[in-house]
Amino acid sequence: MAKIDDAAMSSAMDPVQVVLLRTVVIGVTAFLSLVDLFATQAILPSLARAYGVSPAAMGFAVNASTLGMAVAGLVIALLSGRIDRRRGVLLSLALLSIPTSLLAVAPNLTVFTILRVVQGLFMASAFTLMLAYLAEHCSARASAGAFAAYITGNVASNLFGRIMSAALADHLGLAANFYVFALLNLAGAVLVYFSLGRAAPMPAMAKGGASPMAAWREHLKSAPLRASFAIGFLILFAFIGTFTYVNFVLVREPFDIGSMSLGFVYLVFAPSIATTPAAGLIVGRLGMRPTFWLASAIALAGLPLLLWPSLAAVLAGLVLVGVGTFLAQAIATGFVGRAATADRGAASGMYLSSYFLGGLIGSAVLGQVFDHFGWPLCVAGIALALVLAAVLGARLRLPAAAIA
């Protein structure tokens, strides 16, 4: 199989084939890297019943993976220059299968939560190192499409992962669900082994004497990068709050949706699979900040619909929130890859650490709001996060060195 490397691929294939193959491989790798992250949300009510806990407690346990992802993001940010990208992604996906399979036999909520944290460590390692690989081994012209393909794979994992999880749990039980996802993790490792090209160490790796903290400090000096880190935090804060606790709304009156039907609710992500790859084209036409504001407006427009006692209205609202947040994530992720003029692996790690920390805090804070004050105030908290992200979008300006 051809490797994901612009120079190597273009020598043996025509440009259209290069773009198509790269897009498919990147998207499938993203799918298999993150399919565990949100798939479990489709079976949240079943898990809450199985462990006999409240929606907030189960929501926090399932989303505890974001804690592991935030920690892994920081570790990668510090040690990025010393980690071989291909080997790191491969090992992360192979090791991810271990905690995934152990979730099938977790005896209590504490063990379940710990295993989700460990899952997060390996998922974030694979995700962050793959983003660094793309930033370093795709040409400037191809990078926007590569990042959009990776985020599209993320979108697909949200959709098909949830549907698959709901179907497996409904027909084969909760344990079988986790065993199947462990096999998907191993399939991801196999794909990486055959598709990612072996690359020479990056300059930071070759020198070996540079302080890992130096790149971190340099990135934190950049106001646009700081803004992008905060935006990442707010995007997943809003996304987690929406798609975690809406599950508990839909299984109650007046909707009273069953577990299998709940999985099909996530067909609301299907439009995002079509719109997210267009992020690069829209940015090219409108500019980065106007496109980000458009994405924020789309997500905000969906929130009032989530409060209507109509399933059609709620589904339409979820479509808009999904399209808006995934488009915003694609823009912010691509911005980090371009705005960081040195050690992009560290920048990607810092962004994703902030992003996943937002998911963890969002699940905890909005879970308490949901339990104590109800869904309307939970939606208000989501709206506040999206408005703050839109305000910070004004700072998404590329430095002169990055534009050149």
Side-chain angles (χ1 to χ4, degrees):
M1 181 183 293
K3 310 295 185 181
I4 303 176
D5 187 300
D6 281 356
M9 292 173 70
S10 60
S11 64
M13 307 171 67
D14 66 57
V16 175
Q17 290 176 315
V18 169
V19 172
L20 180 60
L21 178 59
R22 181 178 58 228
T23 299
V24 171
V25 172
I26 290 171
V28 174
T29 303
F31 177 91
L32 295 173
S33 298
L34 294 178
V35 70
D36 299 279
L37 181 58
F38 296 117
T40 312
Q41 288 186 346
I43 55 174
L44 266 171
S46 298
L47 287 169
R49 288 193 297 270
Y51 286 100
V53 297
S54 70
M58 197 68 242
F60 181 80
V62 164
N63 292 312
S65 55
T66 56
L67 172 59
M69 299 185 92
V71 171
L74 288 177
V75 172
I76 298 299
L78 287 170
L79 304 178
S80 170
R82 292 168 164 74
I83 300 175
D84 178 90
R85 310 313 194 206
R86 177 180 181 273
R87 186 178 297 115
V89 175
L90 197 159
L91 288 176
S92 295
L93 290 174
L95 293 172
L96 175 58
S97 65
I98 298 174
T100 302
S101 60
L102 290 176
L103 282 169
V105 293
N108 53 56
L109 193 64
T110 300
V111 174
F112 186 98
T113 303
I114 292 171
L115 288 172
R116 285 292 285 174
V117 172
V118 177
Q119 272 191 310
L121 289 170
F122 294 128
M123 280 189 283
S125 298
F127 191 89
T128 307
L129 290 171
M130 186 65 179
L131 286 178
Y133 184 97
L134 295 178
E136 294 161 354
H137 298 285
C138 285
S139 66
R141 178 175 55 83
S143 62
F147 283 117
Y150 203 60
I151 301 304
T152 302
N154 182 4
V155 178
S157 72
N158 273 269
L159 169 57
F160 297 109
R162 292 174 199 252
I163 293 176
M164 185 186 306
S165 183
L168 288 168
D170 191 52
H171 291 92
L172 301 177
L174 292 172
N177 167 78
F178 294 114
Y179 289 133
V180 170
F181 279 90
L183 291 175
L184 290 177
N185 301 150
L186 293 175
V190 172
L191 177 64
V192 167
Y193 180 83
F194 287 106
S195 64
L196 259 64
R198 293 176 176 83
M202 298 307 293
M205 295 172 67
K207 290 176 183 178
S211 168
M213 292 296 293
W216 199 356
R217 287 194 297 267
E218 190 66 26
H219 293 322
L220 288 176
K221 290 179 183 177
S222 168
L225 280 176
R226 290 198 306 270
S228 69
F229 299 157
I231 285 171
F233 178 98
L234 293 166
I235 289 173
L236 197 59
F237 184 102
F239 182 89
I240 287 282
T242 302
F243 290 98
T244 295
Y245 298 106
V246 74
N247 291 283
F248 296 100
V249 173
L250 292 174
V251 297
R252 298 172 180 173
E253 295 291 342
F255 307 109
D256 198 23
I257 290 177
S259 58
M260 186 63 220
S261 299
L262 189 60
F264 284 107
V265 162
Y266 290 100
L267 286 170
V268 296
F269 289 131
S272 299
I273 296 178
T275 57
T276 304
L281 294 175
I282 301 173
V283 168
R285 286 179 174 271
L286 302 181
M288 186 169 298
R289 289 179 297 157
T291 305
F292 183 80
W293 289 326
L294 174 63
S296 301
I298 291 171
L300 282 165
L303 294 182
L305 298 175
L306 302 183
L307 301 177
W308 284 21
S310 161
L311 182 59
V314 172
L315 294 179
L318 292 175
V319 167
L320 292 174
V321 173
V323 168
T325 53
F326 278 119
L327 186 58
Q329 183 197 2
I331 295 165
T333 304
F335 176 83
V336 172
R338 294 184 63 193
T341 55
D343 201 342
R344 292 185 175 94
S348 294
M350 295 171 72
Y351 170 80
L352 290 172
S353 178
S354 179
Y355 177 75
F356 291 121
L357 185 62
L360 179 69
I361 294 178
S363 67
V365 171
L366 294 175
Q368 292 303 314
V369 172
F370 180 82
D371 272 1
H372 293 92
F373 303 104
W375 181 232
L377 277 183
C378 186
V379 172
I382 295 164
L384 178 60
L386 291 173
V387 169
L388 289 174
V391 171
L392 288 170
R395 301 185 181 182
L396 296 181
R397 295 176 181 270
L398 288 171
I403 296 174

